[in-house]
Amino acid sequence: MISRVHKQWFKITVTRFDDIDITERLLAWFGDQCRALPWRDAPCGSRDPYRVWLSEVMLQQTTVTAVIPYYLKFLDKWPNVKALAEALDDDVMRAWAGLGYYARARNMLACARFVAEQCQGVFPRAESDLLKLPGIGPYTAAAVSAIAFNGPSAPVDGNVIRTLSRLYAVEGEMPKNKDKIQKLAQALLPLGFSGDYAEALMDLGSQVCRPKNPRCSECPWMQACQAFRDGKAVAYPQKAAKKPKPTRRGWAFWVERPDGHILLERRPPKGLLGGMMGLPTTEWGEILGAPKQAVERFATAQWTALPGHIEHTFTHFHLELGVIDVRVDANTPWPGLWIARDDVVNQALPSVMQKALSHAQGLKR
Ligand code: SF4
């Protein structure tokens, strides 16, 4: 259905034959192959912008498979922007736990409150107005405008960069030269169908024009694709050599009272894992400090550094985290949340903290 509508429209509106062919092929392919996803619950242009925005925020840096249960949970708890704006920070962070990049959750909440309070609960339609909302960057603004409103915007993410840089064999390191891709994406944009176009590019990039093993024989652009014709599909996008990630090291503390309660602390609001609950930790640096120094803050002589460590990779570094088992008095005046040992696994904690807890519990069994 989508492709028939597009064909009629292209005949009367677009004059550049090559681009018509490329865009039409893409949209025809999308009409047959588009993924059924929970946030694609209505035709583009008539979708609830709250749902579009929520899905786009969640999908940044994460896979569709990981996002679906979170998206459904959020919609169930907070079905519209007003409900989300009224939610408690802790409830939202708890619901987000495990999805990573926690700054996104804080920004999302700030944006929901802004829309509810300053925009009467209505998301603006234009990309330029969406960009003014807290926590909304160029990609999300373009995606919401295109998908929810069919605005004349072409969101460009990693999938789009990869696919278009192969189609046109675009020279220059990416994402440094992203503006070249932005211009190409904009030039192909079929006005009035920008939502379908944006989603078609997303699907083509993730399902067909994959980073390592592109499925060129299934691609609607195979005949037009310069990188394919040159036999150099995986040479694009051109990228600078990756710098190896540094490794940081630190200690986490399993702090236990005689009544079997474990101490959880809230991390500072800004920065990595900002505002999330977790085991207390030291700073993470290049060198692992001596455990004796690390436990000084608890003013107790009862502690043991557990053997081994957990490993976790963040965007910019690898982390090696050892765990120190610390015993404190019943009356320890330590600010934080004391949780019964058996309940601690049920807390919504970031993945790195879950790993540290499992490591400690496995050794202490
Ligand atoms: Fe990507 Fe291959 Fe399609 Fe070119 S032909 S866009 S390399 S999948």
Side-chain angles (χ1 to χ4, degrees):
M1 288 304 271
I2 290 175
S3 58
R4 193 168 67 239
V5 173
H6 289 151
K7 276 174 190 159
Q8 286 167 356
W9 180 83
F10 281 119
K11 275 181 194 147
I12 54 170
T13 314
V14 182
T15 51
R16 293 172 55 193
F17 177 77
D18 287 350
D19 288 353
I20 295 173
D21 193 43
I22 282 170
T23 313
E24 186 173 359
R25 279 169 187 267
L26 174 68
L27 292 175
W29 171 85
F30 185 61
D32 292 336
Q33 304 287 331
C34 67
R35 287 175 293 174
L37 299 171
W39 43 89
R40 294 182 176 176
D41 55 351
C44 286
S46 57
R47 291 209 194 134
D48 177 354
Y50 168 69
R51 295 177 180 216
V52 176
W53 165 76
L54 187 64
S55 65
E56 289 301 332
V57 171
M58 288 184 165
L59 283 164
Q60 289 163 28
Q61 317 272 358
T62 319
T63 63
V64 163
T65 312
V67 163
I68 288 173
Y70 284 88
Y71 173 81
L72 295 173
K73 177 169 61 176
F74 266 68
L75 264 198
D76 188 44
K77 278 175 171 287
W78 303 295
N80 52 54
V81 72
K82 195 163 171 288
L84 183 59
E86 287 169 359
L88 297 175
D89 289 39
D90 270 3
D91 288 347
V92 173
M93 297 311 281
R94 200 171 298 124
W96 188 276
L99 198 52
Y101 300 92
Y102 296 92
R104 284 184 300 155
R106 289 194 300 278
N107 289 337
M108 181 184 72
L109 205 40
C111 183
R113 288 174 181 157
F114 188 92
V115 171
E117 288 158 20
Q118 308 292 325
C119 311
Q120 292 76 49
V122 179
F123 277 87
R125 301 172 71 91
E127 182 181 344
S128 55
D129 291 331
L130 285 158
L131 256 180
K132 292 176 192 157
L133 302 180
I136 289 204
Y139 172 79
T140 309
V144 173
S145 179
I147 296 169
F149 304 115
N150 269 332
S153 300
V156 170
D157 66 354
N159 280 330
V160 179
I161 290 176
R162 184 172 61 255
T163 309
L164 292 186
S165 67
R166 287 173 177 174
L167 176 66
Y168 292 108
V170 178
E171 299 295 323
E173 276 176 20
M174 298 293 165
K176 215 156 77 183
N177 287 287
K178 185 180 164 189
D179 54 332
K180 289 186 182 178
I181 303 295
Q182 185 71 57
K183 282 181 191 149
L184 290 169
Q186 207 72 38
L188 293 174
L189 182 79
L191 288 174
F193 293 90
S194 52
D196 288 331
Y197 168 72
E199 291 194 329
L201 273 177
M202 289 170 193
D203 282 14
L204 189 71
S206 64
Q207 306 298 294
V208 177
C209 196
R210 302 177 308 178
K212 289 195 180 133
N213 298 302
R215 295 174 168 152
C216 299
S217 60
E218 298 167 30
C219 179
W221 286 346
M222 190 175 74
Q223 287 164 323
C225 178
Q226 190 60 49
F228 172 74
R229 289 206 301 239
D230 296 344
K232 290 175 21 182
V234 291
Y236 297 92
Q238 297 175 348
K239 288 185 179 165
K242 269 193 184 164
K243 287 187 198 153
K245 285 185 186 183
T247 298
R248 294 189 196 164
R249 299 170 179 87
W251 293 106
F253 302 102
W254 172 282
V255 184
E256 187 166 342
R257 288 193 314 212
D259 63 359
H261 280 61
I262 308 299
L263 177 64
L264 296 182
E265 271 184 355
R266 187 176 301 288
R267 299 183 70 81
K270 294 247 159 94
L272 198 68
L273 309 178
M276 299 298 293
M277 296 300 290
L279 294 175
T281 73
T282 58
E283 298 282 317
W284 303 337
E286 211 173 303
I287 312 254
L288 181 63
K292 191 171 175 205
Q293 275 179 326
V295 293
E296 273 173 7
R297 60 192 277 200
F298 296 104
T300 175
Q302 294 183 61
W303 59 270
T304 315
L306 299 175
H309 61 257
I310 62 119
E311 296 179 359
H312 190 82
T313 297
F314 293 99
T315 320
H316 301 299
F317 65 94
H318 301 293
L319 175 67
E320 293 177 0
L321 198 60
V323 182
I324 303 178
D325 182 1
V326 182
R327 301 295 156 136
V328 293
D329 292 341
N331 303 323
T332 298
W334 197 264
L337 194 61
W338 291 92
I339 302 279
R341 189 171 25 200
D342 291 343
D343 282 345
V344 88
V345 287
N346 300 323
Q347 303 302 306
L349 302 178
S351 310
V352 62
M353 293 298 169
Q354 294 283 9
K355 281 189 196 175
L357 276 174
S358 305
H359 177 69
Q361 285 173 321
L363 290 169
K364 288 157 61 58
R365 244 176 228 136

